[in-house]
Amino acid sequence: MLPLLHPALLLLLGATLTFRALRRALCRLPLPAHVRADPLRTWRWHNLLVSFAHSIVSGIWALLCVWQTPEMLVEIEMAWSLSGYLLVCFSAGYFIHDTVDIVVSGQARASWEYLVHHVMAMGAFISGIFLGRFVGGGVLTLLVEVSNIFLTIRMMMKINNAQHLLLYKINKYVNLVMYFLFRLAPQAYLTYFFLQYVGQRSLGTFLLGILIMLDIMILIYFSRLLRSDFCPERLPSPQHKDKFLTE
């Protein structure tokens, strides 16, 4: 079936519109006073609320997929389940929504790293959505959303200038542990798999290239996270207050 007629397009469209509707609904919630006073913080707050909702749903969903279909941990290319396939489509719809939200809101320059990440993620998901291959790999990649739950809490508390709260101090340690377990570890495992796979097919080479670029980004973010939360005295003076990913 031609890609333009592929039924997955309806799933992608449905997921994208779902996140758009969710954003509209979340915009009706009251804002913290510190956030409400700044239009940029207001946009970022709403954007992170959608991201938070996606992380909770996708993180738990990915764990359930691995529990229901444990062969995804080994048969990364051929392991398949309907739940895993729908999860990949669901998250691809979020990335499409978030990309559009960033561009339409005029935040593309400040949030260019997010745009690069989203494009690479959607490129990697194509093989699972349209070819039915590497759905297991897509599910393992989405385990990162468990880590993103705590990372998003951290970012929202920073936007609200709530770093002095005990919750922030507890969350920064939980976030560090989750970063290792659900971001660094799955990414390292997938990179190892594709290094073994790369010589067999061109698709493996394409996906390995995306993984390596994501590895570099993840390590950069990790270094920023450590400096910001555990070595704040070593942080350079802020030059771009509108940066989104690097807070």
Side-chain angles (χ1 to χ4, degrees):
M1 183 176 292
L2 294 174
L4 289 178
L5 303 177
H6 201 287
L9 291 176
L10 291 177
L11 293 175
L12 293 175
L13 178 61
T16 303
L17 294 178
T18 297
F19 282 107
R20 178 60 182 171
L22 177 63
R23 190 187 192 285
R24 285 181 175 272
L26 292 175
C27 284
R28 299 176 182 272
L29 297 177
L31 293 169
H34 185 73
V35 173
R36 187 170 59 248
D38 185 334
L40 178 59
R41 288 178 183 268
T42 298
W43 172 79
R44 293 162 85 181
W45 184 268
H46 290 147
N47 183 275
L48 286 172
L49 280 177
V50 179
S51 175
F52 186 58
H54 169 254
S55 294
I56 292 175
V57 174
S58 293
I60 295 174
W61 195 346
L63 288 171
L64 287 174
C65 285
V66 173
W67 179 69
Q68 293 172 344
T69 315
E71 54 265 32
M72 286 184 174
L73 293 170
V74 181
E75 297 294 334
I76 291 176
E77 178 185 4
M78 301 310 298
W80 191 94
S81 71
L82 178 59
S83 179
Y85 181 81
L86 293 175
L87 169 60
V88 172
C89 292
F90 176 78
S91 290
Y94 165 73
F95 292 134
I96 294 171
H97 156 78
D98 199 47
T99 298
V100 173
D101 185 37
I102 290 172
V103 173
V104 171
S105 301
Q107 300 300 320
R109 184 175 180 181
S111 307
W112 66 269
E113 292 165 302
Y114 257 143
L115 295 178
V116 172
H117 170 271
H118 290 356
V119 170
M120 288 192 294
M122 287 185 286
F125 285 167
I126 285 175
S127 63
I129 294 173
F130 294 107
L131 303 178
R133 295 165 58 192
F134 295 105
V135 170
V139 170
L140 293 184
T141 300
L142 288 168
L143 289 174
V144 70
E145 297 300 335
V146 178
S147 169
N148 278 348
I149 295 172
F150 303 94
L151 186 62
T152 305
I153 291 174
R154 170 189 176 272
M155 294 176 70
M156 294 180 72
M157 295 189 73
K158 291 198 73 170
I159 290 175
N160 197 29
N161 278 358
Q163 299 96 310
H164 61 284
L165 296 179
L166 177 62
L167 176 60
Y168 183 91
K169 296 176 181 178
I170 294 174
N171 183 74
K172 77 176 184 179
Y173 290 103
V174 176
N175 182 41
L176 186 64
V177 173
M178 294 299 174
Y179 205 99
F180 272 106
L181 292 179
F182 292 102
R183 189 179 294 263
L184 294 178
Q187 196 73 14
Y189 177 69
L190 286 169
T191 302
Y192 172 78
F193 171 84
F194 280 102
L195 283 173
Q196 308 299 312
Y197 184 89
V198 65
Q200 300 179 32
R201 297 177 180 86
S202 59
L203 181 58
T205 304
F206 169 72
L207 294 175
L208 176 63
I210 291 178
L211 271 174
I212 290 176
M213 288 187 286
L214 288 173
D215 288 345
I216 294 172
M217 294 181 72
I218 285 173
L219 291 175
I220 292 173
Y221 301 156
F222 186 55
S223 69
R224 292 174 180 172
L225 176 67
L226 291 177
R227 283 186 297 166
S228 177
D229 277 356
F230 299 96
C231 305
E233 68 280 357
R234 300 182 60 181
L235 283 175
S237 57
Q239 296 178 347
H240 303 286
K241 294 183 179 180
D242 58 344
K243 289 296 269 184
F244 185 60
L245 258 180
T246 58
E247 288 190 274

